[in-house]
Amino acid sequence: MTEGFDAAWLALREPHDVRARSAELADAFLAALPPRPRILDLGAGTGSNARYIDAHAIATGRTVDWLLVDGDGGLLSRATGIRAFQARTVDFAAPERIDLAGVDGVTASALFDLVSEAWFTRFAALLAGRPLLAALTADGSHRWDPADPDDGEVERWFAEDMCCDKGFGPAMGLAAPAGMAATLGAAGYELRDAATPWTLGPDDAALRAAMLDGVAEAAARHGDGDRVARWRERRQGARALRLTVGHRDILALPRR
Ligand SMILES: C[S@@+](CC[C@H](N)C(=O)[O-])C[C@H]1O[C@@H](n2cnc3c(N)ncnc32)[C@H](O)[C@@H]1O
């Protein structure tokens, strides 16, 4: 695996993810599955996505048998708060390593902006019509308020970094939601989607600071490092800063 993820980062984002996500699409995903479905959560990390959907299943009296799949066994070992689950450590740099035998539906969160279009095309073929709920794919619509003259340039460099190879070929990055929609449409799916942004202000200082650091570090790898450092300093000083981070949830159901 090329890209490592920190359990502390996943814990920091989880409550914001829960607030941002589309409950309607999670319920529609469950409604499309058998009464006691087996769902595979791809790139499960510490289980944030399964925890969210499991809570929706509980609310309607349903039990889900979860299969959590991730390349990082250390993250999987921290999964709690999901009623019935098995965890499997798999590096799915090649999508064919994902075993979908006996799986009724597939879900993933914060994953598909890391993968390439070619990887996703092979993955969509493997799905073979199973319902897919892809939550919280980054769509790049960052909005900084108040604006800074260097926001545009820094965001352009950040977007370049998002397209670097994260272990799956050149990543779709911020173009992922559009690329996924095209691929899934061609594979015979009907799509519903929802904007699921984080809106971060002074009350969300920890995630806002982590995003600022992440954007600055990524942008500095592609652009003028001094200019990025000055931008970061100005941004760090702006206590009232509001940041909107765009994501999309996509539900793909087989066309009737
Ligand atoms: C951004 S995290 C999202 C984790 C979780 N879905 C969540 O929303 O908290 C991406 C996850 O993909 C996993 N991952 C990245 N590349 C992988 C690969 N090649 N094989 C298996 N897992 C991978 C990481 O270990 C990480 O847990």
Side-chain angles (χ1 to χ4, degrees):
M1 267 173 49
T2 310
E3 193 82 347
F5 288 86
D6 183 16
W9 161 249
L10 299 182
L12 177 61
R13 60 174 292 166
E14 183 165 353
H16 298 273
D17 287 345
V18 168
R19 234 176 291 147
R21 289 184 61 149
S22 167
E24 197 183 327
L25 293 190
D27 289 336
F29 173 60
L30 286 167
L33 297 173
R36 181 165 180 158
R38 183 163 174 79
I39 305 180
L40 187 148
D41 181 12
L42 192 64
T46 60
S48 162
N49 183 30
R51 259 190 300 284
Y52 177 85
I53 299 171
D54 206 45
H56 280 252
I58 291 169
T60 52
R62 311 248 319 259
T63 299
V64 174
D65 292 310
W66 284 98
L67 180 55
L68 272 47
V69 173
D70 201 282
D72 185 334
L75 292 179
L76 287 174
S77 70
R78 292 169 180 256
T80 54
I82 306 157
R83 281 173 307 169
F85 76 96
Q86 292 178 320
R88 201 174 281 168
T89 306
V90 180
D91 181 343
F92 48 77
E96 291 74 17
R97 292 188 196 145
I98 306 164
D99 182 2
L100 292 179
V103 168
D104 300 302
V106 177
T107 183
S109 69
L111 179 72
F112 292 124
D113 40 74
L114 304 177
V115 310
S116 63
E117 208 175 321
W119 186 98
F120 193 78
T121 302
R122 283 156 63 195
F123 169 71
L126 284 175
L127 282 177
R130 291 175 181 82
L132 170 72
L133 177 64
L136 297 158
T137 307
D139 74 357
S141 53
H142 287 183
R143 204 173 57 242
W144 302 86
D145 180 19
D148 180 278
D150 279 342
D151 286 347
E153 203 65 330
V154 169
E155 286 294 344
R156 196 169 60 76
W157 294 327
F158 170 72
E160 261 181 63
D161 196 72
M162 290 286 287
C163 293
C164 290
D165 189 336
K166 311 282 194 304
F168 304 94
M172 287 193 281
L174 305 176
M180 292 164 68
T183 301
L184 290 166
Y189 281 93
E190 266 175 15
L191 304 181
R192 288 171 63 185
D193 84 331
T196 51
W198 293 334
T199 307
L200 308 176
D203 292 343
D204 316 295
L207 185 59
R208 190 185 58 177
M211 277 303 299
L212 177 55
D213 289 346
V215 169
E217 279 157 29
R221 286 195 280 273
H222 298 270
D224 176 340
D226 291 339
R227 196 166 156 196
V228 174
R230 287 193 297 275
W231 173 86
R232 181 187 202 161
E233 217 174 289
R234 288 195 300 279
R235 283 324 203 175
Q236 275 166 342
R239 285 183 189 282
L241 179 67
R242 298 194 78 78
L243 167 61
T244 307
V245 180
H247 304 112
R248 297 202 82 80
D249 286 7
I250 299 176
L251 173 64
L253 299 179
R255 216 172 275 134
R256 283 163 196 267

